Amino acid sequence: MRHIDIETLVSHVEGPVLRPGDESYDEERTGFNLAVRHRPDVIVGATRAEDVQAAVRFAAEHGLPVAVQATGHGYSVPAEGGLLITTGRMSGVDVDPAARTVTVEAGVRFEQVIPETVPYGLAPLNGSAPHVGVVSYVLGGGIGLLVRSFGYAADQVRSMDVVTADGSLRHVTADSEPDLYWALLGGRDNFGIVTRLRMGLVPVARLYGGGIFYDAEAAPDVLRAYLRWTAGLPQEMNSSVALIPMPDVEEVPEPMRGRHIYHVRIAFTGSQEEGERLVAPLRDTAGPALFDALREMPYAQSASIHDDPPVAVPFLREVALFEGLGDEALGTVLEHAGPQATVPCVVELRHLGGALAAAPAHPNAVSHREAQYILSVVTLLFGGTEKESRPVLQRLFDALEPWSTGRSLNFMGYGENAGRERVRTAYTPEVIKRLGEIKAAHDPENLFRLNYNIPPRGTGDGGRATV
Ligand SMILES: Cc1cc2nc3c(=O)[nH]c(=O)nc-3n(C[C@H](O)[C@H](O)[C@H](O)COP(=O)(O)OP(=O)(O)OC[C@H]3O[C@@H](n4cnc5c(N)ncnc54)[C@H](O)[C@@H]3O)c2cc1C
């Protein structure tokens, strides 16, 4: 560990500044995914934009690469050395019901936003899990519960306050800083650290939705029935299906305990009557359900649709987007990641399309708008190790390559998954070229490289890719 004099940094920062060996160093760097952790030389627990500025300036002066963490749900390249900015203390939320917007600080999670917007009959375009951080989710595109109805969450962004690599704090809108606005939405922290973000809300106060559960042994055709059902649905119908190996523990209700379960999730923004009519063909063809919990619900209960556990776990994830999927591809998924897989896999298929294809009011770098499905597979690393899980995911996604059209940044995973060639698959060639040019203009030294890195275009190897 190199010696770094942090006294000047401490004097400019309101939040804690931590070094390895300090009492709260380990707690501060630990996030939701327990399989990975940053091991920086210095952590700055930012409480305000000025702390982020001081940290970025200090890092630039000392040649330290910068990583940023809100909740640790989405690790990419774990820092080995360098400077980590944690944003959990930046927790301000401000709703403007007349303008239908919410402004959030860098550390805010969706569970802090939803209770503030629902009293006005408004909802953010949140994802499945309310414990995910808003800023990173949105900058990565944001494939939400209502993705078919309203498209990518990133398209709702009105402004961002950003600390760029030169340490300045900029107010970025599509008009004031068109390049940075375009690049941040899709290129994330390659272009700076967002300290505050304002985004539009949608007028959704209620849903017809929830989950239908099937025993995968008694209803083996759920995945195929689901895929057939999704053809020709209106864009108000949002849905996904997951194949989940339920743990064999007392907390899991008896009929699901220790079994593989299909969990179909529905979020329909139309009427209950119409929702029931649309779901009927799926109910008729999927097989016998264990529980059918579709219902009329206030948006405040939308987290119950996926019911993602808020408990930190070690996991590895891979993802692919598809413009079309057929029985052969589904067979490949089940062969590699189904109940017979050598490591337990959580398989999730979400229906995209609908409003995802619409051009945003202000263009941004989020790509693959033509995607119709997103498949992500998670392996939990409790009993086994990453060494056993990686090859399973690798074999599956290699086999799916002929059908896949790219990846989504938000679900891409860490370590090898964050390699340069993988990162390119999150964008179209034109987008990656322009991102590289904007990176060269705003971060030529690649200070922000502990991420899904976009190398500065025209700098040989594209800047230093590692610490
Ligand atoms: C259980 C679970 C459910 C999920 N559901 C969905 C979903 O429904 N839809 C979806 O699209 N995604 C989903 N995701 C993926 C999630 O959106 C991404 O992993 C996202 O990056 C998490 O952000 P975070 O702040 O919570 O995590 P962190 O690990 O804290 O941040 C991830 C990365 O974001 C960048 N970043 C963080 N803060 C900033 C900042 N202030 N400025 C610039 N860059 C920053 C950094 O590169 C950081 O490493 C889910 C993930 C999990 C684990």
Side-chain angles (χ1 to χ4, degrees), residues 46-111:
T47 60
R48 50 185 190 149
E50 290 86 343
D51 288 1
V52 177
Q53 288 183 274
V56 168
R57 286 186 186 132
F58 181 86
E61 273 162 29
H62 291 79
L64 300 172
V66 176
V68 54
Q69 175 167 311
T71 74
H73 278 71
Y75 289 98
S76 51
V77 176
E80 288 296 331
L83 184 148
L84 171 66
I85 298 171
T86 53
T87 60
R89 292 169 187 80
M90 299 174 69
S91 57
V93 177
D94 185 19
V95 179
D96 181 341
R100 287 188 179 168
T101 61
V102 64
T103 304
V104 297
E105 287 191 311
V108 170
R109 301 168 187 248
F110 277 108
E111 63 200 1

Side-chain angles (χ1 to χ4, degrees), residues 32 38 68-76 87 106 126-129 131-145 184 188-189 192-195 306 308-309 315 317 350 408-411 450-452:
F32 182 81
H38 294 295
V68 54
Q69 175 167 311
T71 74
H73 278 71
Y75 289 98
S76 51
T87 60
N126 55 285
S128 59
H131 38 94
V132 161
V134 176
V135 166
S136 171
Y137 161 92
V138 171
L139 299 186
I143 293 178
L145 285 177
L184 278 160
R188 277 198 339 196
D189 54 335
I193 296 177
V194 172
T195 58
H306 280 241
D308 285 335
F315 66 93
R317 195 203 284 273
R350 296 190 188 192
S408 156
L409 216 60
N410 272 0
F411 297 92
L450 299 174
N451 50 27
Y452 299 123

Side-chain angles (χ1 to χ4, degrees), residues 239-256:
S239 67
S240 66
V241 59
L243 175 60
I244 308 169
M246 297 301 278
D248 192 1
V249 296
E250 256 177 40
E251 292 76 19
V252 176
E254 180 55 60
M256 306 211 276

Side-chain angles (χ1 to χ4, degrees), residues 138-143 147 151-155 182-188 321-323 352-353 355-358 360 363-374 405-410 423-435 454:
V138 171
L139 299 186
I143 293 178
V147 62
Y152 280 121
D155 298 355
W182 180 88
L184 278 160
L185 297 174
R188 277 198 339 196
L321 293 159
F322 303 89
E323 285 177 37
L352 303 180
L356 195 78
N364 60 50
V366 180
S367 303
H368 302 315
R369 290 174 181 271
E370 63 297 331
Q372 295 293 322
Y373 298 96
I374 180 167
T405 50
R407 289 186 176 80
S408 156
L409 216 60
N410 272 0
V423 172
R424 296 180 77 82
T425 65
Y427 308 98
T428 61
E430 300 75 41
V431 166
I432 195 103
K433 179 169 174 281
R434 185 169 170 208
L435 284 171
I454 312 284

